[in-house]
Amino acid sequence: MADEPSNDSAEEPAAKPAAEEKPEAVAEKPAAADATPAPAPEPEPEPEPHPVTAALTGQFGDKVSDEGEDQCGTPIVRAGADDLTEVMTWLRDGDLKLNYLSSVTAVDYTTRDPRFDVVYHLYSVGENHRLTVKCGCEDGEGVPSMVDIWPAADWLERETYDLYGTEFLGHPDLRRIFLPDDWEGFPLRKDYPLEGPNLELLTRQQAAFRGGQFDRIRGEQAINEQEREMAGPGVVGALWVPEPPADESETETPDQEGD
Amino acid sequence: MSTTDSSAPISSAPKKTFLERFLLVELLKGMWLTLKYTFRPKVTVQYPLERESVHPNYRGILRVDESTCIGCYLCEKICPDKCIHLEAERGYTKGKGGKYATYFYIDHARCLFCGLCEEVCPVDSIYHSNEYEAAVYNRADAVHDLRILDSGHDIIHYER
Amino acid sequence: MLETKEFELNMGPQHPSTHGVLRLVLHLDGETVLDVDTVMGYLHRGTEKLCETRNYYQNVPFTDRTDYLAAPYNNLGYVETVEKLGGYQVSERALYARMAIVELSRIASHLFWLATHALDIGAQTMLFWCTREREVILDFFEAALGDRLTTSAFKPGGLRRDLPEGWVEAVLEFCGTFPARVEEYETLLNANRIWMERTVGIGVISGEDAIALGLSGPMLRGSGVDHDLRKALPYGGYDTVDFDVPVYPDCDSYSRYLVRMEEMRQSTRIVQQALAKMPEGKITGKAPKMIKIAEGVEAYHVVESPRGELGYYMIGGGKDIPYKCKIRAPSFCNLQAVGPMSKGLLIADVVTVIGTIDIVLGDVDR
């Protein structure tokens, strides 16, 4: 009976690729990023810099570079890791009064040279304007911690470290915040599989499951006792399928003759 | 870090006179309000014996109309957590031509009840019923096959 | 002679007053809290990773599960970010329908906060009364959105389906009676001796500290900072409705309580105005069936959820799935204050502090 399903899929190639498209696309995402046609509407960057960016470049010259605006009209600037503390201190205390650190995160561009961008979203309570500051960060290196400037950065940087593995130099207590301390890998990196690092534990059923071939798995044949024990009740439990009636599995292959 | 001086006068908390404090006026007011509710009609229902009906728009347990399904895989594709699995074949059966689903499994233990499958179905074959009692003793029972999806699963209705 | 030692006490993760699975390691001197170490992540489901593997429509149900007490607000934050990314327009009917729904969710969320917070402190009646009103709101959600808690309410461009017949009238009727209910709650609590003993002067954090710690929402407004994103950076049509932002300067749990009570009244006003302004017309949006955002196009959009600043930072990847989707969770940032706020208090007051922050662990851990 285990052979029948594979025959099935060979005979019916037209329908299956559609269902299998998504998982493949996910796996190849970073590599295929440059091959997209993407004629999506993109507004032209404005020739005149945002007043916030202008004030910042006026203060620091070419230590910061203008990266335009995002879709909400928030100006984006990029600063080097060496100048980051100086720039951020001025942003908080200077004319812009960006006294509120809204969020810290990182973006993983696997193919780019500084692999990560650490992104700070700043806000001014009172002046009501925003600024996004980006800072490149190579894998294994770090950016200076902002805890001394905004205490809010404490947990936000721990979260970013936990999920991306970007170091924050000078952070008083840089350890994992969501995941257990002995967790391996950094889940939000693009090379980290969605199912987690212990893929071999998830058994071949999981792979079949991802391909949308759920119904090919038949009770005992697919899940032997050992695998069930290894993967735990949560994983295999979701894959349990009621045993099909005996006559139904018999008619599975002959059905094709009707075509 | 500076903190506000806790000995500073508290403005937003209501001030009370000595008599109010001594006679527990605020306590009596509260008790009076609670007492009034004793004589109002109940808003609760005795659940297994009385059942609240849900709005027709409610997204309950998924059902599939076997006779109209054209096996287009759209619901399987849109499902955010891949709880729908079907296999379709081309052929002439049940009084109609074209594609039909040979296997159709929905794992209700994984289902998010988001309604996306209902939305994309071109023939309105898959739909959310108004049933909400999906508890089972065994995870395997939460996986509904085409027969259960078409005719509905067993629900025990208690009566007073 | 007498040796004293710092005592460590584990509170949670299965503690009724931690509102989920939050674990606090309290460092105690007698019963006085010296320091708090917060351990979280028991509910971490990797929502952000999941969002990078599903398309823009499929991600909406995941956003329900972050802050499940105010799911429509999460849907709104996500959906508005996608609309900003793609430049999609929302019809006016959808705009006001959304506003009414999310403000109802704010009321529902504050009601449940009041119910559980009061229950933690010892006022049991509030649980029954608040859930009674919340049930009515959840019935509205059930009729209009299809589900009570995990609504998946909106989709990019508009709503999933039009509002059912008679829905607007029912909501307006509820809005007519609701302020009287809020007054009833206040009769029970405002001057209540136990309530005041447990909340006045407890969990104090000054306005400057609140800003520096990145607190938002009622946590800021209860510390005397007049800041509401609905006024500061209006989104979703909030600049067309009239409402007040309650601010109380006492920085303690009691003033945060007053802020939330007043917010419920103001939300009722917003719902009434939004439903009055809502025109007839199409409610489903103009967004394409397959949303594709070009590579590198990014947006950081924030909304004022019942808990504070809810932000979505998304980057398009040139495909139908986002390259990056970061959720700036208000509960997570607000929870950072639990240490500074509970220093020097007693263990019983830590319960008040957790309650007054109004955390949802699904939002904290994501």
Side-chain angles (χ1 to χ4, degrees):
Chain A
M1 205 162 101
D3 292 341
E4 283 173 16
S6 57
N7 289 340
D8 240 13
S9 66
E11 282 166 14
E12 201 175 3
K16 271 298 152 191
E20 281 166 7
E21 190 182 85
K22 189 159 288 299
E24 280 173 22
V26 171
E28 291 172 12
K29 197 171 142 198
D34 53 340
T36 49
E42 193 175 2
E44 288 291 314
E46 297 193 6
E48 215 168 279
H50 195 278
V52 173
T53 319
L56 192 60
T57 45
Q59 179 74 20
F60 287 100
D62 42 352
K63 280 183 185 174
V64 292
S65 55
D66 185 3
E67 296 231 327
E69 294 177 13
D70 74 2
Q71 298 299 104
C72 301
T74 310
I76 306 168
V77 295
R78 180 177 292 278
D82 302 334
D83 312 320
L84 195 63
T85 314
E86 188 194 345
V87 172
M88 291 299 215
T89 312
W90 184 81
L91 283 174
R92 185 193 63 173
D93 300 329
D95 305 336
L96 293 175
K97 291 180 184 150
L98 290 157
N99 51 4
Y100 188 90
L101 179 66
S102 185
S103 102
V104 178
T105 187
V107 189
D108 180 8
Y109 300 99
T110 26
T111 49
R112 229 182 49 178
D113 186 15
R115 178 171 170 181
F116 298 101
D117 260 356
V118 180
V119 186
Y120 301 85
H121 296 287
L122 310 179
Y123 179 65
S124 168
V125 176
E127 307 284 314
N128 300 342
H129 57 248
R130 293 198 164 272
L131 176 67
T132 303
V133 181
K134 290 186 179 178
C135 179
C137 173
E138 196 50 67
D139 191 8
E141 293 174 11
V143 293
S145 169
M146 295 295 130
V147 175
D148 294 336
I149 304 173
W150 294 282
D154 187 351
W155 284 14
L156 292 167
E157 287 179 349
R158 275 179 68 188
E159 185 200 345
T160 310
Y161 165 72
D162 190 359
L163 302 176
Y164 281 97
T166 51
E167 299 273 338
F168 291 90
L169 311 171
H171 191 287
D173 185 22
L174 194 65
R175 59 195 160 95
R176 289 188 181 273
I177 191 164
F178 291 142
L179 303 175
D181 289 336
D182 55 353
W183 192 269
E184 282 173 28
F186 300 100
L188 276 184
R189 290 188 176 193
K190 290 286 176 187
D191 51 11
Y192 190 94
L194 179 66
E195 292 82 359
N198 299 328
L199 200 56
E200 68 273 15
L201 275 185
L202 289 180
T203 68
R204 61 201 153 86
Q205 281 77 40
Q206 192 75 5
F209 185 79
R210 286 165 68 213
Q213 300 173 15
F214 184 82
D215 47 317
R216 305 253 163 80
I217 306 158
R218 300 270 182 270
E220 276 70 29
Q221 290 164 351
I223 307 163
N224 62 44
E225 284 304 322
Q226 193 194 357
E227 280 172 340
R228 188 180 292 178
E229 220 166 81
M230 279 167 77
V235 175
V236 182
L239 296 169
W240 279 348
V241 172
E243 196 79 28
D247 55 335
E248 202 177 325
S249 60
E250 291 299 317
T251 54
E252 197 173 79
T253 346
D255 253 8
Q256 293 297 319
E257 293 162 9
D259 261 352
Chain B
M1 283 194 156
S2 67
T3 49
T4 311
D5 186 9
S6 57
S7 64
I10 287 153
S11 54
S12 45
K15 294 272 185 307
K16 285 183 281 185
T17 63
F18 171 74
L19 213 60
E20 277 178 326
R21 255 184 286 168
F22 186 72
L23 293 176
L24 300 171
V25 174
E26 78 282 355
L27 184 71
L28 291 176
K29 267 204 248 170
M31 294 299 255
W32 173 241
L33 187 63
T34 329
L35 189 70
K36 277 198 290 189
Y37 267 92
T38 318
F39 305 106
R40 293 204 190 162
K42 291 188 186 73
V43 294
T44 49
V45 290
Q46 300 295 321
Y47 163 57
L49 304 175
E50 302 168 39
R51 292 171 90 253
E52 284 251 40
S53 63
V54 292
H55 194 274
N57 280 355
Y58 181 72
R59 297 194 296 264
I61 293 169
L62 279 169
R63 296 273 295 275
V64 176
D65 189 353
E66 191 184 353
S67 59
T68 53
C69 179
I70 54 168
C72 64
Y73 291 97
L74 274 179
C75 49
E76 185 185 279
K77 201 159 184 275
I78 195 75
C79 183
D81 44 23
K82 313 279 175 252
C83 75
I84 303 174
H85 296 275
L86 72 141
E87 194 161 298
E89 278 176 11
R90 206 165 280 285
Y92 191 86
T93 181
K94 291 166 194 140
K96 67 183 176 94
K99 264 173 133 186
Y100 63 95
T102 49
Y103 293 118
F104 208 123
Y105 289 112
I106 297 181
D107 187 350
H108 279 97
R110 291 180 74 93
C111 182
L112 285 171
F113 298 94
C114 63
L116 283 172
C117 48
E118 188 184 40
E119 211 167 285
V120 295
C121 185
V123 288
D124 293 342
S125 170
I126 187 165
Y127 62 99
H128 281 283
S129 67
N130 273 359
E131 294 297 341
Y132 49 85
E133 285 153 331
V136 286
Y137 286 105
N138 190 335
R139 279 209 185 94
D141 295 343
V143 181
H144 290 182
D145 64 7
L146 194 50
R147 185 182 54 81
I148 305 175
L149 288 169
D150 192 53
S151 57
H153 69 302
D154 301 331
I155 302 166
I156 304 168
H157 286 277
Y158 296 90
E159 286 191 11
R160 202 183 268 277
Chain C
M1 284 266 256
L2 198 64
E3 222 177 281
T4 55
K5 215 170 100 183
E6 196 181 297
F7 185 70
E8 263 186 33
L9 182 74
N10 264 312
M11 192 167 165
Q14 300 291 344
H15 192 279
S17 73
T18 53
H19 297 208
V21 278
L22 173 72
R23 177 171 154 229
L24 298 176
V25 183
L26 304 174
H27 299 263
L28 302 169
D29 173 20
E31 216 189 319
T32 313
V33 179
L34 299 175
D35 200 6
V36 181
D37 192 9
T38 318
V39 184
M40 68 202 97
Y42 297 97
L43 212 57
H44 181 66
R45 295 148 296 179
T47 307
E48 291 166 12
K49 184 81 177 174
L50 273 175
C51 284
E52 290 174 13
T53 62
R54 304 287 192 269
N55 73 29
Y56 290 95
Y57 284 107
Q58 288 175 323
N59 283 341
V60 177
F62 293 140
T63 62
D64 292 337
R65 271 89 184 157
T66 56
D67 179 357
Y68 40 77
L69 290 183
Y73 233 107
N74 288 265
N75 303 150
L76 182 80
Y78 172 78
V79 159
E80 282 199 345
T81 313
V82 175
E83 282 158 8
K84 295 260 180 197
L85 281 172
Y88 308 127
Q89 292 298 315
V90 189
S91 73
E92 204 159 316
R93 181 174 172 82
L95 195 73
Y96 287 113
R98 276 182 186 182
M99 195 194 291
I101 287 165
V102 296
E103 286 305 323
L104 282 174
S105 86
R106 185 189 303 276
I107 297 174
S109 169
H110 281 352
L111 280 173
F112 205 66
W113 164 80
L114 183 61
T116 51
H117 187 38
L119 184 70
D120 289 344
I121 290 179
Q124 211 177 13
T125 313
M126 299 314 297
L127 178 71
F128 303 125
W129 286 14
C130 292
T131 39
R132 178 191 60 194
E133 264 74 66
R134 183 167 168 268
E135 279 299 300
V136 180
I137 296 177
L138 294 188
D139 282 342
F140 293 148
F141 288 169
E142 180 188 307
L145 310 172
D147 219 327
R148 299 169 73 81
L149 216 55
T150 52
T151 49
S152 307
F154 313 129
K155 67 177 184 182
L159 260 71
R160 298 272 291 274
R161 57 158 77 90
D162 208 342
L163 302 172
E165 219 169 288
W167 191 83
V168 174
E169 291 75 26
V171 173
L172 285 176
E173 193 191 333
F174 170 77
C175 289
T177 58
F178 183 65
R181 303 288 179 143
V182 178
E183 246 158 60
E184 280 183 357
Y185 309 150
E186 290 188 331
T187 313
L188 281 194
L189 291 179
N190 260 12
N192 187 315
R193 180 170 304 199
I194 304 166
W195 182 256
M196 284 172 70
E197 287 284 321
R198 295 296 305 273
T199 55
V200 174
I202 303 293
V204 176
I205 192 151
S206 70
E208 303 92 72
D209 288 351
I211 292 173
L213 270 172
L215 308 188
S216 50
M219 294 288 290
L220 266 186
R221 295 191 282 277
S223 292
V225 182
D226 185 2
H227 177 252
D228 189 321
L229 287 166
R230 292 174 291 174
K231 290 272 192 202
L233 302 168
Y235 57 88
Y238 273 108
D239 43 353
T240 60
V241 291
D242 179 36
F243 64 100
D244 302 325
V245 178
V247 179
Y248 287 88
D250 296 331
C251 314
D252 59 0
S253 300
Y254 190 80
S255 64
R256 285 187 279 272
Y257 154 73
L258 292 175
V259 166
R260 291 194 174 105
M261 295 305 268
E262 186 58 32
E263 271 186 16
M264 285 200 264
R265 292 206 186 89
Q266 297 301 330
S267 293
T268 318
R269 275 179 70 196
I270 298 174
V271 172
Q272 284 168 332
Q273 291 175 52
L275 290 180
K277 278 171 187 276
M278 189 171 70
E280 291 295 317
K282 210 164 176 296
I283 205 160
T284 48
K286 278 191 181 145
K289 279 189 177 168
M290 179 71 91
I291 294 179
K292 280 194 180 182
I293 308 294
E295 205 178 336
V297 174
E298 63 175 75
Y300 180 64
H301 182 64
V302 285
V303 294
E304 179 82 23
S305 94
R307 278 161 197 84
E309 180 178 324
L310 171 71
Y312 278 87
Y313 176 55
M314 292 176 71
I315 302 178
K319 289 192 217 154
D320 59 339
I321 52 179
Y323 190 70
K324 155 108 190 140
C325 176
K326 149 92 184 168
I327 305 167
R328 193 267 188 204
S331 297
F332 178 69
C333 296
N334 287 353
L335 188 60
Q336 251 191 115
V338 76
M341 276 164 73
S342 47
K343 257 174 212 163
L345 299 178
L346 304 179
I347 297 175
D349 293 332
V350 175
V351 172
T352 313
V353 168
I354 299 169
T356 193
I357 296 173
D358 188 15
I359 47 168
V360 169
L361 262 296
D363 202 23
V364 173
D365 294 342
R366 298 191 292 287

